[in-house]
Amino acid sequence: MNIVGKGAPFEEYTDNLTKWKEQLGTKVEYVTSKEGPVELSLNFGATINRYAFGYFYYKDGEDPNKAVRYVLFDQYNPVDFIKKDGQPLSNDMELAQISAGYISGETVIQGSKVKLVYNDNGIPTYTFPKGIHIAFFVNKSNQHIINPDNLWSSIHSKDYYNPSLKKDDIHTCAVTYRYGEQIILGIEDGEDWDMNDLLFFVNGTFEDEPENIGPDISDEDKPEHQAWILACEDLGAIDDFDFNDVVFSVSHVEGSNQVTVTPLAAGGILEAEIMYNGQSYGEIHSLLGASATTFVNTENGITQTATPITINVDENFSITQNMGGFSVKVIDEEGNANTEITAPGQGEAPQMICVPGTWQWPVERTSISVAYPDFGEWGANYGTNNDWCNNPVDGKVIRR
């Protein structure tokens, strides 16, 4: 199911606020359930406006109307932060024009990621404490001033929305729901209520996470969402064999013509590109915001995250067939792409393995056989030792 496009939850020129009112209510905020970062990944937007969008936070018992407002995008438009097939958008409403008639199967949308900042007694930090309420606002003015008369809040506070606005009985600047493993935040800055003027993936750990919503499909008829991890060793069996050189997840709903790929870790010093059916979707270090010689998420837990990548696939996609068509192209120190990591053939030592989406990869320079003692038995008999990946050695894997 597409997020946007005809018949989707965020279909353009459709009153999606009223459509989902009963399920979503009119209050959108996220309450942190443990200490950690909170990130927004902008993945779509369709608006002609250029206002300010931002967030605020407060603790239990505090007045949200008195919370400091932090601007994330000032006089924004999605064209400033989103690319289509690697190229800048040509006009403010290009994504709307595409989505109104379905997004082309050849189109790849690439967005931007921002980390929210918490003020810890005057010291800015990316770490939010447990129990913090995080909400959002749109400042409907092209001035660089936060004007309460023009401020629309995601928690529908009467002091921060325009009481003369039509539909003010249900208005909120935001809706939220889960889409597979992702939390979606939809922002409205106008009066057509399609709630897709800005669409974000929200990354964090929250209390009472939103429910999945979508077209009217009974629970019995909903296709099962599946997630896997593809983990690669870029130098084969001649180095540390830790299977953390290239790690990325692949999520798919049976029958869907799209998969979501999320880069997770880069433990090699060679450039390596994630490939699908011969097309590159980016170099693993770069996708994680690092240089090619930097280890990412292989030594000190999860310190960096990447924007998920949507890839169009055949509706009969299966990860069990040749790794679903995924491979990794390794670039040597001379810049030559002379190694491609693919599914292993019969009797070959693997350089790529496919494991469940909850798997924890080994810490840097720890052989997978040390981190997972049963790995060797599985390698000797793929058919009878499939639970090896559920039995790591404590301290030898990255905790997620």
Side-chain angles (χ1 to χ4, degrees):
M1 180 182 69
N2 289 324
I3 299 174
V4 294
K6 188 175 181 180
F10 289 99
E11 180 177 356
E12 181 67 18
Y13 311 125
T14 299
D15 185 349
N16 297 313
L17 180 60
T18 301
K19 182 194 303 184
W20 303 121
K21 178 185 176 184
E22 296 302 319
Q23 290 142 296
L24 299 174
T26 58
K27 181 177 181 179
V28 173
E29 65 176 4
Y30 306 107
V31 183
T32 55
S33 61
K34 67 177 183 180
E35 183 180 277
V38 177
E39 300 175 340
L40 301 182
S41 296
L42 179 64
N43 63 83
F44 185 86
T47 179
I48 60 173
N49 297 317
R50 285 185 173 269
Y51 299 135
F53 167 74
Y55 69 102
F56 58 99
Y57 54 84
Y58 63 98
K59 299 177 182 178
D60 287 337
E62 294 181 342
D63 184 354
N65 295 331
K66 296 180 179 180
V68 175
R69 266 56 180 173
Y70 297 91
V71 175
L72 287 174
F73 300 108
D74 189 13
Q75 297 188 351
Y76 68 79
N77 192 280
V79 302
D80 302 327
F81 309 102
I82 292 179
K83 293 184 178 180
K84 182 188 73 171
D85 297 326
Q87 301 299 317
L89 300 175
S90 61
N91 65 78
D92 287 357
M93 291 294 285
E94 183 175 359
L95 291 181
Q97 293 160 3
I98 297 171
S99 66
Y102 295 102
I103 289 183
S104 165
E106 302 300 320
T107 299
V108 176
I109 306 302
Q110 299 154 309
S112 299
K113 180 174 66 177
V114 293
K115 289 185 177 181
L116 305 192
V117 174
Y118 179 77
N119 189 337
D120 186 5
N121 294 319
I123 300 175
T125 175
Y126 291 131
T127 301
F128 279 74
K130 177 182 178 181
I132 300 297
H133 299 246
I134 302 172
F136 304 89
F137 69 88
V138 171
N139 186 43
K140 287 181 61 62
S141 170
N142 58 10
Q143 301 176 354
H144 299 273
I145 299 173
I146 301 300
N147 184 348
D149 293 333
N150 291 316
L151 206 64
W152 288 359
S153 166
S154 69
I155 59 175
H156 199 188
S157 171
K158 65 181 180 180
D159 294 334
Y160 283 94
Y161 80 104
N162 187 342
S164 65
L165 178 73
K166 66 179 182 179
K167 293 193 178 183
D168 60 357
D169 62 323
I170 65 168
H171 180 267
T172 172
C173 76
V175 292
T176 186
Y177 80 104
R178 292 189 69 85
Y179 180 83
E181 294 183 338
Q182 297 286 347
I183 297 175
I184 303 293
L185 173 66
I187 299 297
E188 173 63 38
D189 65 12
E191 298 181 22
D192 60 1
W193 316 105
D194 53 19
M195 311 307 292
N196 69 10
D197 299 328
L198 296 172
L199 286 183
F200 296 92
F201 291 132
V202 183
N203 299 312
T205 305
F206 309 111
E207 300 175 2
D208 301 322
E209 292 188 353
E211 298 292 331
N212 277 299
I213 67 170
D216 294 331
I217 304 175
S218 68
D219 290 337
E220 293 79 10
D221 294 334
K222 288 181 179 178
E224 182 180 358
H225 176 269
Q226 296 179 303
W228 308 270
I229 286 177
L230 298 184
C232 305
E233 183 65 23
D234 63 1
L235 293 176
I238 66 173
D239 198 41
D240 50 20
F241 215 54
D242 52 17
F243 277 88
N244 67 21
D245 298 333
V246 179
V247 184
F248 58 96
S249 67
V250 178
S251 299
H252 181 247
V253 175
E254 184 180 358
S256 171
N257 63 353
Q258 292 184 326
V259 298
T260 299
V261 173
T262 305
L264 297 174
I269 60 173
L270 298 177
E271 294 185 13
E273 298 181 9
I274 297 175
M275 309 288 293
Y276 179 71
N277 283 350
Q279 179 177 344
S280 174
Y281 285 87
E283 199 281 321
I284 186 67
H285 300 83
S286 178
L287 291 170
L288 286 161
S291 67
T293 57
T294 303
F295 294 158
V296 185
N297 299 339
T298 65
E299 298 179 288
N300 300 308
I302 305 300
T303 59
Q304 293 176 246
T305 58
T307 301
I309 303 167
T310 299
I311 298 177
N312 294 294
V313 298
D314 185 271
E315 64 181 10
N316 296 319
F317 173 86
S318 172
I319 199 73
T320 61
Q321 301 296 320
N322 195 34
M323 298 294 180
F326 285 96
S327 63
V328 170
K329 181 170 65 176
V330 180
I331 314 298
D332 64 22
E333 295 177 349
E334 285 71 42
N336 300 313
N338 54 12
T339 300
E340 184 174 8
I341 302 172
T342 59
Q346 187 173 2
E348 295 179 350
Q351 281 186 257
M352 175 185 285
I353 58 175
C354 179
V355 287
T358 55
W359 188 65
Q360 300 163 306
W361 50 92
V363 297
E364 185 58 36
R365 303 206 70 81
T366 298
S367 170
I368 194 171
S369 297
V370 173
Y372 289 91
D374 297 333
F375 175 79
E377 294 182 17
W378 173 73
N381 189 341
Y382 290 172
T384 61
N385 298 288
N386 293 325
D387 63 345
W388 68 271
C389 52
N390 299 323
N391 302 306
V393 175
D394 192 37
K396 300 295 184 181
V397 297
I398 296 295
R399 290 294 180 187
R400 301 172 62 196

